[in-house]
Amino acid sequence: MYKRIFKLFSNNRRLIHYSSGKPPAILHKSVFGKEIFDTFEGIPQKSWSEWSQIRQELLTNKAFNEHNIDAIILGQCISKNNCSLGNSFIDYLNKEEIKFNLATTAKYFSLLYLLNRDNRFLYGKTLKTKEEELILDRYNSLRKKYEILDSITLEGSISALSLTKDWKKCITLLEDIKLTKIPSNLSYSVTASAAFLNNEIDIGWSLLQQMILDEKNIDNIVYYAYLNYLKATKNDIKIELEKLFMFLQENDIVIESDVALKISEFGNESGLTNFATAVSKRADCRNCNQKLEKFDLDNEEFAALKTAIFKNVIVGRDIFVKTNPNEVNRFNEFISAQEEFDVVLDGLNVAFSAGTRHSPQVFSSLVASVVSYFVKQGKKVLVVGRYHMKQWPRDNWSFINQNATVFLTNNISQDDPYLLYCALNSGKNTIIVTRDLMRSHKFLLKETKLRILFNRWLSQRQYQLVKVTAEGNPFFRFPPSLTFSAQKNGQYWHIPFKPCQDSNISWLCIKF
Ligand SMILES: [Zn+2]
C-alpha cells in the first residue's frame, strides 16, 4: 500500500497541476478556423509570413474582425498551453506595429503570468528586471489610457501584477472587480500568493478567508507560495505550518497530491519526518498507529445547524414554491409534538434503491425490511414519505405503520427538507437513512461555516442502503469512522490529499 502511494507521488513529480490556474479559453466562434488553431499544438513558433497568412485567412470569415482577431489567436495559444507560440505571435504584432486593444492586452497579461508563474510562486524567485518592467510599463500605459477597466482586463492585470513589486495594486483591482462580480479563483489566489511571498501574512490570510466566504477554490499556487514564505521566514515554521493545517481543518479542504508532495518535500528539508500513508477502516494511521478522529458537532454547532435548516430549507423561499403554508403548519405541529427518533428514514429513496421500474410490492417490501432491521435493534423509527405511498400493498404498508411513525407530505412537495429537519430535531445521534447527498439543500445554507457543519453532520449520521437480500436483510454503507479533514493526533499531523489516479483519500503523516 505504501509503495503504491509513493508511486503515485513519484509518477507526478514532474507534473505540477494548477487546480484553477488555466485561463479561460476563447472559443472560436465557428468551426471555421479550427484547422488553423489545431496547428497551434506543440510547435514553439511560427514565422512572420505564417502569422500574416493566418491572420488574413481568419479575417475572411465574419466571425473575426480587426477588433477580436489578435485576442482570439493569443487565447488559442494560451488555451493550448503553448506560451512559446504566444510569444512568437506577440513578436509578430510588435514587428508589424499592430496596436494592442484591451482584449489583446488582457490576453497578453495572461500569457506573461503563465510564462512567469512557476518561477515566482512555485520556486519563490523574483522576476527579471526586464520582465517586471514589461508588465509594469504595459499596465501603466493602459491606466493612462483608460480610467475604468472591464473585469476581464482587471483579472488579466491582477495575474500579471501579482508577479511584480507592485503586487499591492492587485488588492485595489480586486475591489474594482467586486463592483460588478465576485473575483475569480485565480485573481484571489494570485493576490494571496503575492501577499505571502512578500511577507504580508495578514493580508494573505484575510484574502483566503474572503475566498472561503465567497465559495472560491484555493489554487495550488497559494500553498506553493506559502511554503516559499516558510522557507524564508524567521518565524517558528512549526507554528506557521500549523496555521495552514488549521485552516485546512476548519474549512474541510482536501489538498491535491502535488501540494501534498510539496509539503512533504518542505518537511524533509526542515527536519519534519513525514510519510505518505493510508488509514485503516478503523481509523488507525498505518505509519504512526495513532487513531484519527471523527469530528462531532458540539451542542452549539448542532443547534445552529438545526435553526438554519428550518429557516433556510423548510421555510425558505424555495420550499414555499412547491409546498403550501398549511403543510408547513401541519409539519410544525408534528415536530412540536414529536418524540425523538433513533432513525429517520427517507421512504421513497429506500423504496427506489433498486430502481424505479419495480412494482409497489417491491418498493414497500424494501422499506418494510429496513424498518424491521432497525426495530429489531430496539430503535424508534420515523418514515418520511408522500401521500401516494398509502396505496402500497396493504400487508407491507400496515407493517410499516405498526412499527414506525409515518409523516407524509403532499405528492408534489419535496420531502427531503422535512426529512432533514426531523433528523436534526431528533438529536445529534439520530441516524438518517438515505442515499441522497442533499446538495441542493446544503446550498440554501448561506454561511460557509454552516455548509461545512452540514457536511460533517450528514457524513457521520447517514446510512446509505446498498441492497436488501432475498431474505430481507439490508446492507448499508455506514458513515466513515473518521473525518477526512486535517487533524492533529498526538504528536502527528494528518493531512488528507487526493491521489491523482485513485479515488481513495490518502494521508500525509507528519511528526511535529
Ligand atoms: Zn500517522
Side-chain angles (χ1 to χ4, degrees):
M1 180 57 133
Y2 307 134
K3 271 187 187 163
R4 191 170 59 87
I5 295 167
F6 277 126
K7 206 167 160 234
L8 287 179
F9 258 177
S10 57
N11 278 350
N12 290 290
R13 221 163 252 278
R14 277 171 297 153
L15 266 179
I16 298 297
H17 296 280
Y18 295 90
S19 48
S20 60
K22 280 187 189 160
I26 289 189
L27 296 172
H28 27 94
K29 293 185 177 175
S30 65
V31 182
F32 181 84
K34 187 178 177 303
E35 276 181 21
I36 293 175
F37 295 136
D38 284 347
T39 69
F40 286 18
E41 301 267 8
I43 50 153
Q45 60 186 53
K46 286 184 185 284
S47 65
W48 177 90
S49 59
E50 282 172 317
W51 282 126
S52 190
Q53 202 183 340
I54 286 171
R55 231 174 153 266
Q56 273 172 20
E57 208 172 317
L58 289 172
L59 283 170
T60 59
N61 185 282
K62 61 181 178 191
F64 302 92
N65 55 50
E66 285 294 342
H67 188 73
N68 67 12
I69 180 122
D70 300 324
I72 292 177
I73 292 177
L74 208 46
Q76 284 292 330
C77 298
I78 292 169
S79 69
K80 290 182 166 55
N81 227 351
N82 196 343
C83 292
S84 157
L85 190 68
N87 255 345
S88 157
F89 184 62
I90 294 291
D91 285 346
Y92 164 80
L93 292 179
N94 285 334
K95 268 184 204 152
E96 280 292 285
E97 295 183 358
I98 295 172
K99 287 215 166 87
F100 289 29
N101 62 17
L102 273 183
T104 316
T105 308
K107 285 289 156 205
Y108 185 38
F109 281 148
S110 298
L111 178 72
L112 289 169
Y113 167 71
L114 287 177
L115 280 165
N116 295 289
R117 174 188 61 189
D118 286 1
N119 257 341
R120 183 69 189 121
F121 295 132
L122 186 59
Y123 304 115
K125 294 179 182 160
T126 46
L127 250 62
K128 289 183 186 129
T129 317
K130 198 180 130 206
E131 300 287 339
E132 186 163 82
E133 276 172 4
L134 186 66
I135 293 171
L136 295 178
D137 289 351
R138 184 68 67 171
Y139 176 73
N140 291 334
S141 64
L142 192 71
R143 285 326 303 229
K144 268 183 203 152
K145 210 165 163 192
Y146 302 95
E147 203 178 323
I148 295 168
L149 295 175
D150 63 279
S151 62
I152 293 173
T153 314
L154 284 169
E155 295 199 323
S157 306
I158 288 175
S159 300
L161 283 173
S162 70
L163 306 162
T164 71
K165 62 179 180 349
D166 279 0
W167 68 274
K168 275 195 178 171
K169 285 185 177 161
C170 298
I171 300 169
T172 321
L173 300 188
L174 278 177
E175 292 306 314
D176 290 350
I177 292 176
K178 284 183 194 169
L179 296 175
T180 53
K181 57 177 257 200
I182 295 173
S184 65
N185 292 345
L186 187 64
S187 294
Y188 265 134
S189 293
V190 294
T191 313
S193 303
F196 287 132
L197 278 181
N198 288 284
N199 218 13
E200 293 274 7
I201 306 310
D202 292 344
I203 297 178
W205 282 119
S206 129
L207 285 163
L208 294 194
Q209 293 298 350
Q210 191 58 52
M211 287 183 81
I212 297 292
L213 290 176
D214 286 342
E215 303 275 319
K216 293 289 166 188
N217 291 327
I218 292 163
D219 194 285
N220 291 354
I221 52 163
V222 176
Y223 303 112
Y224 303 147
Y226 193 78
L227 292 172
N228 282 317
Y229 147 70
L230 289 182
K231 285 177 191 168
T233 186
K234 291 194 176 78
N235 295 339
D236 184 330
I237 56 158
K238 277 192 181 174
I239 294 176
E240 297 302 295
L241 200 52
E242 282 198 319
K243 277 187 200 162
L244 176 66
F245 294 163
M246 284 305 295
F247 176 77
L248 298 178
Q249 179 186 93
E250 281 162 14
N251 298 295
D252 271 355
I253 294 172
V254 176
I255 52 173
E256 290 181 18
S257 61
D258 292 314
V259 178
L261 173 62
K262 287 287 159 201
I263 293 175
S264 168
E265 285 173 359
F266 175 76
N268 293 338
E269 288 161 20
S270 320
L272 295 169
T273 315
N274 69 86
F275 290 95
T277 184
V279 170
S280 73
K281 279 195 174 162
R282 295 179 160 203
D284 300 315
C285 171
R286 296 215 163 117
N287 180 51
C288 68
N289 294 324
Q290 291 281 336
K291 195 168 266 313
L292 270 65
E293 277 179 71
K294 193 159 80 172
F295 296 149
D296 269 329
L297 273 58
D298 64 31
N299 290 340
E300 210 176 302
E301 289 170 333
F302 185 74
L305 179 62
K306 189 169 129 180
T307 309
I309 289 284
F310 191 72
K311 210 169 116 195
N312 297 315
V313 181
I314 308 277
V315 192
R317 223 175 22 175
D318 184 61
I319 191 84
F320 262 126
V321 179
K322 291 171 183 146
T323 304
N324 56 50
N326 287 342
E327 188 165 285
V328 176
N329 290 338
R330 193 169 62 82
F331 179 69
N332 269 332
E333 280 168 30
F334 173 75
I335 53 168
S336 56
Q338 184 191 315
E339 326 111 89
E340 291 190 350
F341 295 99
D342 303 308
V343 180
V344 175
L345 205 149
D346 185 344
L348 281 185
N349 189 276
V350 168
F352 295 157
S353 59
T356 52
R357 290 189 176 179
H358 295 284
S359 64
Q361 180 64 36
V362 174
F363 297 149
S364 56
S365 71
L366 286 169
V367 177
S369 298
V370 175
V371 168
S372 166
Y373 169 87
F374 286 110
V375 169
K376 275 184 199 156
Q377 295 173 22
K379 296 196 187 313
K380 276 174 76 173
V381 180
L382 169 71
V383 176
V384 177
R386 303 224 177 130
Y387 278 132
H388 65 74
M389 287 162 63
K390 281 183 172 176
Q391 289 154 19
W392 278 357
R394 220 175 177 168
D395 50 345
N396 285 333
W397 186 238
S398 308
F399 177 86
I400 293 164
N401 275 275
Q402 279 159 16
N403 289 281
T405 303
V406 175
F407 181 81
L408 300 178
T409 69
N410 201 311
N411 288 344
I412 55 158
S413 300
Q414 287 182 302
D415 50 4
D416 27 312
Y418 297 112
L419 181 87
L420 282 178
Y421 191 76
C422 285
L424 286 160
N425 201 43
S426 281
K428 254 168 76 172
N429 296 321
T430 298
I431 293 163
I432 179 164
V433 184
T434 181
R435 295 203 292 191
D436 196 321
L437 297 173
M438 308 281 173
R439 288 204 179 94
S440 60
H441 303 299
K442 184 179 86 175
F443 287 115
L444 292 174
L445 296 170
K446 300 215 165 50
E447 288 171 42
T448 312
K449 177 76 188 161
L450 285 168
R451 294 183 189 183
I452 291 168
L453 292 179
F454 180 85
N455 268 349
R456 283 193 180 168
W457 167 74
L458 191 63
S459 68
Q460 285 160 27
R461 306 309 313 156
Q462 183 173 28
Y463 281 36
Q464 298 186 54
L465 183 65
V466 178
K467 64 171 183 182
V468 175
T469 62
E471 294 75 37
N473 298 319
F475 281 82
F476 296 99
R477 186 172 300 126
F478 295 111
S481 48
L482 71 158
T483 303
F484 292 98
S485 187
Q487 48 183 287
K488 196 174 187 185
N489 317 92
Q491 269 187 294
Y492 296 84
W493 265 102
H494 293 100
I495 313 296
F497 67 91
K498 298 174 225 166
C500 285
Q501 301 160 17
D502 201 318
S503 58
N504 293 328
I505 299 281
S506 293
W507 295 80
L508 200 57
C509 170
I510 308 172
K511 190 174 182 193
F512 255 64

